[in-house]
Amino acid sequence: MYISTSQLIDADAPDHVREIVDISIPRNASLSVTGALLFTGRRFAQYLEGPAEGIAELKRSILQDPRHRDVHTIAEGPYDHRRFLTWSLAYAGPSQFVASKVEDALTAALNGSEEGVEALAEMLAGFAIEGHS
């Protein structure tokens, strides 16, 4: 799971995020990677799960993507199950209310709070159940 700062211009952000999602869904599927994406308007948070080589390839791509800066990995390593087994990339879309709640969880996670990381993962899982893509 990582958090990054968006470099997107506000007016163009929804189109750019939709482009990210549209490209990522088939790419993630081809790498056997599943996960979820959050975008608050200021920051991205993404939870990725799957084979180490697939995750590494995506991480290299994300680090080179000019739409992100300050990419911070906040959790990594093996887990006993996938949270997003049926989602190549879950993304529910933007929301002002949700963005404020997510920003609180992002700040806690970036400050090293293990509870913040888990809260963020649970939010992503909840959005995947309720969302679309």
Side-chain angles (χ1 to χ4, degrees):
M1 184 182 319
Y2 75 86
I3 297 171
S4 67
T5 301
S6 172
Q7 293 296 99
L8 300 176
I9 297 169
D10 290 343
D12 297 333
D15 291 336
H16 285 288
V17 174
R18 179 47 55 192
E19 180 182 326
I20 290 169
V21 172
D22 290 346
I23 290 169
S24 296
I25 289 172
R27 182 174 185 202
N28 290 5
S30 74
L31 296 169
S32 298
V33 170
T34 56
L37 176 69
L38 283 173
F39 178 64
T40 69
R42 282 187 48 224
R43 293 193 269 194
F44 291 97
Q46 189 168 20
Y47 186 102
L48 297 168
E49 54 193 10
E53 59 277 1
I55 299 296
E57 183 175 328
L58 290 174
K59 186 173 183 178
R60 282 189 299 274
S61 177
I62 290 162
L63 289 171
Q64 294 175 1
D65 189 328
R67 296 172 289 200
H68 300 269
R69 70 174 168 80
D70 302 327
V71 178
H72 297 277
T73 299
I74 59 168
E76 62 184 335
Y79 289 91
D80 59 348
H81 68 282
R82 287 195 185 200
R83 292 178 190 241
F84 302 98
L85 188 58
T86 61
W87 293 90
S88 299
L89 183 64
Y91 178 71
S95 163
Q96 294 291 346
F97 173 76
V98 171
S100 69
K101 300 301 180 193
V102 171
E103 282 292 334
D104 292 343
L106 293 173
T107 299
L110 282 171
N111 288 331
S113 164
E114 194 170 311
E115 293 83 19
V117 171
E118 186 57 28
L120 188 57
E122 288 298 317
M123 275 187 203
L124 284 161
F127 295 146
I129 292 168
E130 298 296 325
H132 57 277
S133 268

